[in-house]
Amino acid sequence: MSATGTSNENNPAEQSSSSSAGKVRRLVLSGEERTKLNPYSDRDFYAYPRFVTHVDDGFISTLTELYRQRLRPEYEVLDLMSSWVSHLPGEVKYKRVVGHGLNAEELSKNPRLDYFFVKDLNVDQKLELESSSFDAVLCTVSVQYLQQPEKVFAEVFRVLKPGGVFIVSFSNRMFYEKAVTAWRDGTEYSRVQLVNQYFQSVEGFTQPEFIKKLPAANTSAQGKQLPFSWSLGFLGMLPPSDPFYAVLAYRNFKPVFE
């Protein structure tokens, strides 16, 4: 990783900026926008393991390729709000992968995790992890359930190393009763803007990058042309594929690799 920097020892303005890094500078959601239709404990809702994937193969393939492009083998990775699968490229062995989630049985079945912990981030946003200890943090199809996203994103900033990346991916699927109102009542475009604002609410993240891949018409989840797709679509028998969205940003700077 190649990066350059200059001392801010004699520059009060730069010292102030540095000391504010990682702080929540504004709240994105109102109190009402943080509410859920199902107000009961998330730990109870996720108590029963779900050994399913919540998005289709096309989405997963796009996500794995994004990880292949952005994550290096020497990385230490935190898979936030994870489950029994992490969608990391199978041929890459990372230095360390730590998982977090709400169901220990699911996490224990995830072959990519070296270690995992269970925690409800809607109750306590503090991550019991060392500062500047991860090169990448991932959050896959789960950001819609965060009721305190600004605090969670600030904690992610804290545990990332300088130059570390936070990749937030999502589609249009959700547990409707457990998604926050701001997400549930929004459009796909507004949800992208919402995640963008979560990043911008924390001092020190780089300008967020946005990646989108919409499924082509008349194709399967694997991207293959379906036989008789026109007639199936006309009859309403062609299930739609999942759109892919990702918003990502880096702590302090985007690294340049030599």
Side-chain angles (χ1 to χ4, degrees):
M1 183 183 295
S2 174
T4 60
T6 57
S7 170
N8 62 4
E9 189 173 316
N10 299 314
N11 190 327
E14 288 188 11
Q15 286 180 340
S16 175
S17 175
S18 176
S19 64
S20 65
K23 303 288 181 63
V24 176
R25 54 186 177 185
R26 66 182 180 85
L27 296 180
V28 176
L29 302 182
S30 67
E32 173 63 27
E33 289 175 320
R34 299 176 196 273
T35 61
K36 301 183 177 187
L37 291 176
N38 181 340
Y40 297 107
S41 166
D42 288 340
R43 290 290 292 268
D44 292 342
F45 184 81
Y46 294 102
Y48 185 79
R50 296 175 173 89
F51 294 107
V52 298
T53 53
H54 298 287
V55 282
D56 65 23
D57 291 346
F59 182 103
I60 293 170
S61 176
T62 301
L63 179 62
T64 300
E65 183 57 32
L66 176 62
Y67 290 162
R68 187 175 286 113
Q69 294 171 3
R70 300 290 181 133
L71 309 183
R72 297 171 68 86
E74 66 269 20
Y75 272 12
E76 296 184 80
V77 178
L78 171 61
D79 190 3
L80 206 61
M81 305 175 78
S82 185
S83 64
W84 66 285
V85 61
S86 290
H87 308 306
L88 294 164
E91 77 279 5
V92 182
K93 173 64 176 176
Y94 298 99
K95 183 176 180 181
R96 177 173 66 129
V97 181
V98 174
H100 153 267
L102 278 174
N103 188 283
E105 189 174 348
E106 287 183 9
L107 294 167
S108 68
K109 300 295 185 183
N110 189 329
R112 300 308 302 266
L113 303 183
D114 299 299
Y115 163 79
F116 70 83
F117 63 99
V118 174
K119 187 182 187 71
D120 186 347
L121 293 178
N122 286 331
V123 174
D124 180 9
Q125 294 77 49
K126 178 71 174 177
L127 297 173
E128 303 300 330
L129 300 166
E130 292 184 11
S131 299
S132 304
S133 55
F134 290 95
D135 301 282
V137 178
L138 318 175
C139 182
T140 306
V141 295
S142 296
V143 68
Q144 60 267 31
Y145 307 120
L146 290 175
Q147 292 180 284
Q148 302 293 333
E150 305 94 339
K151 292 180 181 179
V152 172
F153 275 57
E155 272 295 280
V156 169
F157 184 95
R158 181 185 66 80
V159 303
L160 278 174
K161 300 175 184 178
V165 64
F166 184 20
I167 302 176
V168 180
S169 59
F170 51 94
S171 189
N172 56 4
R173 297 200 199 188
M174 69 187 93
F175 290 121
Y176 192 79
E177 70 273 28
K178 277 298 183 181
V180 297
T181 297
W183 192 278
R184 199 175 60 247
D185 292 348
T187 64
E188 292 185 28
Y189 174 78
S190 71
R191 291 164 187 161
V192 170
Q193 296 307 309
L194 197 60
V195 178
N196 194 69
Q197 290 177 62
Y198 292 165
F199 276 110
Q200 294 177 338
S201 73
V202 178
E203 186 74 39
F205 274 118
T206 60
Q207 181 65 28
E209 299 178 44
F210 169 48
I211 298 169
K212 174 176 70 173
K213 184 176 181 181
L214 302 180
N218 304 330
T219 59
S220 68
Q222 292 78 23
K224 298 178 180 178
Q225 185 75 25
L226 292 172
F228 311 111
S229 56
W230 183 89
S231 57
L232 288 172
F234 181 77
L235 295 171
M237 298 170 62
L238 184 62
S241 298
D242 294 335
F244 176 89
Y245 302 100
V247 184
L248 60 97
Y250 295 81
R251 174 175 169 168
N252 302 129
F253 63 90
K254 182 177 180 179
V256 177
F257 297 100
E258 298 177 337

